[in-house]
Amino acid sequence: MLLLISPINREEALESIEGGADIVDVKNPKEGSLGANFPWVIKEIRELTPEDKLVSATLGDVPYKPGTVSLAAMGAHVSGANYIKVGLYGTKNHDEAVEVMSNVSKTIKDISPNTTIVAAGYADAHRVGAVEPMEIPKIARDANCDLAMLDTAVKDGHTLFDYLDLEKLEEFVKETHSYGLKTALAGSVKKEQLKPLNDIGCDVVGIRGAACVGGDRNTGKIHHDAVAELKELCDSFE
Ligand SMILES: O=C[C@H](O)COP(=O)(O)O
């Protein structure tokens, strides 16, 4: 299982890399769970990250505006992102979400077929009126994405597991794999929760809070020791 760590700036990106993160996921928590950072921050982090490591960028908790989101995807691409995550926040159902994601895929795949496109839903979608989490695998398939992901929309201490039990998460992973796609799971995931996620076949685990000093994604800063501990755990399952 690969370890995706979400830094907000250059300093945290360096800590993530030193700790051994597999994917450096540029984010801006001030703008929400999957808040977008600025193009120059993504570019700077792409430039300081070793070439063989993927740099991801989140486009935000996006509205149901396929054109706006497609243009944001292009912004992430020209800034150097190899992995583009879209938080399906304003889309209320499968069809709206597919409309957004298929336009993002078309925008990027036409010019950069190897860029990874991630359809990200929310385990607590019911709290914000977003598309149901168990719809995400079909949305990813129908919109020509590479990964189906879940995170949490509201970062108030609840974790992914507060909304979906392991059985449901396994169903999510199996369905996604049956379409030939990969999965990423996140949502205030703690180190003790890595093994169960690995054991159900999750391909990528996304973490910010547990990689920060004090475990707080907003007030803490990513530290390489915390990242290294998470990375060591992920590697120990192989
Ligand atoms: O993409 C993953 C997120 O950054 C997860 O953040 P979190 O661990 O603070 O919920």
Side-chain angles (χ1 to χ4, degrees), residues 13-193:
L14 288 168
E15 294 286 328
S16 306
I17 294 161
E18 189 179 343
D22 297 298
I23 303 170
V24 179
D25 173 52
V26 189
K27 172 171 287 190
N28 177 10
K30 284 187 191 153
E31 292 193 8
S33 165
L34 276 93
N37 214 318
F38 299 96
W40 53 88
V41 177
I42 299 167
K43 184 166 182 284
E44 184 185 23
I45 292 178
R46 178 61 277 179
E47 282 167 5
L48 64 80
T49 303
E51 265 180 42
D52 59 348
K53 234 180 241 302
L54 291 173
V55 170
S56 155
T58 64
L59 300 191
D61 298 310
V62 309
Y64 174 36
K65 292 195 173 172
T68 301
V69 182
S70 298
L71 205 49
M74 184 62 93
H77 170 70
V78 300
S79 306
N82 319 106
Y83 195 99
I84 296 178
K85 280 166 59 183
V86 184
L88 294 165
Y89 192 93
T91 47
K92 305 213 169 330
N93 55 46
H94 167 274
D95 291 357
E96 289 182 2
V98 168
E99 195 184 339
V100 168
M101 289 313 307
S102 57
N103 281 291
V104 167
S105 295
K106 174 176 164 52
T107 302
I108 300 303
K109 296 286 185 190
D110 279 359
I111 51 169
S112 181
N114 294 330
T115 296
T116 301
I117 304 293
V118 184
Y122 304 94
D124 54 349
H126 62 282
R127 297 181 78 181
V128 296
V131 59
E132 280 297 306
M134 296 307 284
E135 286 290 310
I136 301 298
K138 284 187 189 65
I139 291 163
R141 175 197 65 186
D142 296 345
N144 194 25
C145 301
D146 303 288
L147 261 100
M149 176 169 190
L150 291 179
D151 199 331
T152 47
V154 185
K155 301 286 182 182
D156 61 357
H158 289 88
T159 81
L160 172 72
F161 291 87
D162 292 319
Y163 304 106
L164 296 170
D165 60 21
L166 203 55
E167 206 175 310
K168 213 71 188 152
L169 291 171
E170 186 168 22
E171 196 182 313
F172 180 93
V173 170
K174 285 206 166 122
E175 183 181 345
T176 305
H177 286 170
S178 76
Y179 304 144
L181 309 177
K182 294 200 166 164
T183 54
L185 293 170
S188 303
V189 170
K190 310 282 176 257
K191 61 182 177 196
E192 316 75 65
Q193 296 170 329

